[in-house]
């Protein structure tokens, strides 16, 4: 931190380019997302601030307050294909931010869960993959993965859930484009 302002370093792998510091967050970044075209970058801080920058020219677009989960590094986020919207999920809620106006386009209430992953698929559907507590074991620590579509409804649309009960989902990862995902 420099005078109470946290910095984030962005490095390009081109000779003679140097290192850029992106300013805008008030604490350290825990998660970072890059748009598909590489023109925008989003970072989530320990204080649950989400900053979005345009990289060329370098400028801070917005700083959003986000829903708070348990740990910032288990939050999920992704840009849409055009880089004009950013989806975010943590704790009890997922949000879709408009990067033209800085407004919130949509919110979805979520069940108790974490390790969120978001990705747009080839059809433009926003997919949410996350680890959630089993309903039938409300007092246990067992969790399973679930896949949802986040659409017009305020409730996520269930698509799939873990079938094997002996698997403890620790982390998840989408393939870019949402056609596949891994759970380990």
């Amino acid at each position: 931190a420099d005078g109470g302002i946290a910095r984030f370093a962005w490095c390009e792998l081109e000779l003679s380019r140097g290192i850029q510091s992106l300013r805008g967050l008030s604490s350290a970044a825990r998660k970072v997302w890059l748009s598909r075209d590489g023109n925008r970058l989003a970072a989530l801080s320990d204080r649950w601030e989400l900053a979005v920058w345009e990289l060329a020219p370098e400028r801070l677009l917005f700083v959003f307050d986000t829903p708070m989960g348990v740990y910032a590094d288990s939050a999920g986020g992704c840009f849409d294909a055009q880089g004009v919207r950013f989806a975010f999920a943590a704790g009890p809620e997922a949000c879709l931010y408009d990067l033209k106006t800085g407004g919130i386009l949509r919110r979805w209430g979520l069940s108790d869960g974490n390790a969120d992953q978001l990705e747009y698929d080839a059809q433009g559907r926003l997919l949410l993959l996350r680890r959630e507590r089993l309903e039938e074991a409300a007092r246990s620590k067992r969790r399973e993965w679930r896949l949802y579509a986040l659409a017009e409804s305020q409730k996520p649309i269930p698509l799939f859930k873990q079938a094997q009960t002996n698997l403890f989902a620790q982390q998840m990862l989408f393939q870019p484009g949402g056609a596949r995902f891994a759970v380990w």
Side-chain angles (χ1 to χ4, degrees):
D2 179 20
I5 302 297
R7 290 194 282 171
F8 176 77
W10 168 253
C11 304
E12 287 198 40
L13 299 178
E14 293 180 24
L15 295 176
S16 304
R17 292 285 300 184
I19 296 174
Q20 296 173 312
S21 292
L22 302 176
R23 299 173 194 263
L25 294 173
S26 64
S27 65
R30 285 292 160 224
K31 291 287 285 239
V32 177
W33 301 274
L34 190 61
S35 64
R36 289 183 190 182
D37 62 9
N39 291 329
R40 291 193 171 169
L41 184 131
L44 177 67
S45 77
D46 284 332
R47 293 188 181 158
W48 297 95
E49 299 166 313
L50 176 70
V52 180
W53 293 270
E54 191 171 42
L55 297 176
E58 178 190 315
R59 68 182 179 112
L60 177 66
L61 296 177
F62 299 102
V63 177
F64 301 104
D65 288 325
T66 64
M68 291 176 56
V70 178
Y71 302 106
D73 59 358
S74 69
C78 73
F79 288 92
D80 69 351
Q82 295 77 34
V84 296
R85 294 180 179 171
F86 189 82
F88 179 84
E93 190 175 42
C95 299
L96 184 61
Y97 298 100
D98 184 337
L99 300 180
K100 291 180 181 176
T101 66
I104 296 176
L105 296 171
R106 190 161 288 113
R107 294 178 186 266
W108 298 271
L110 303 175
S111 299
D112 180 24
N114 61 9
D116 298 308
Q117 297 292 317
L118 289 161
E119 183 69 31
Y120 282 91
D121 69 8
Q123 292 78 39
R125 274 188 317 178
L126 178 56
L127 302 175
L128 169 64
L129 180 64
R130 69 193 322 248
R131 188 173 66 201
E132 292 184 344
R133 188 178 307 275
L134 297 168
E135 292 94 359
E136 56 273 6
R139 289 185 294 252
S140 87
K141 293 182 180 179
R142 280 197 36 84
R143 295 181 181 250
E144 67 181 14
W145 64 262
R146 305 242 170 105
L147 177 67
Y148 298 97
L150 301 179
E152 298 298 321
S153 169
Q154 289 184 338
K155 291 188 176 190
I157 301 165
L159 299 176
F160 297 104
K161 69 178 187 173
Q162 178 178 321
Q164 297 174 330
T165 58
N166 62 346
L167 175 67
F168 179 83
Q170 188 65 24
Q171 288 291 329
M172 281 93 35
L173 172 70
F174 271 113
Q175 172 186 350
R180 295 184 184 146
F181 61 88
V183 176
W184 63 93

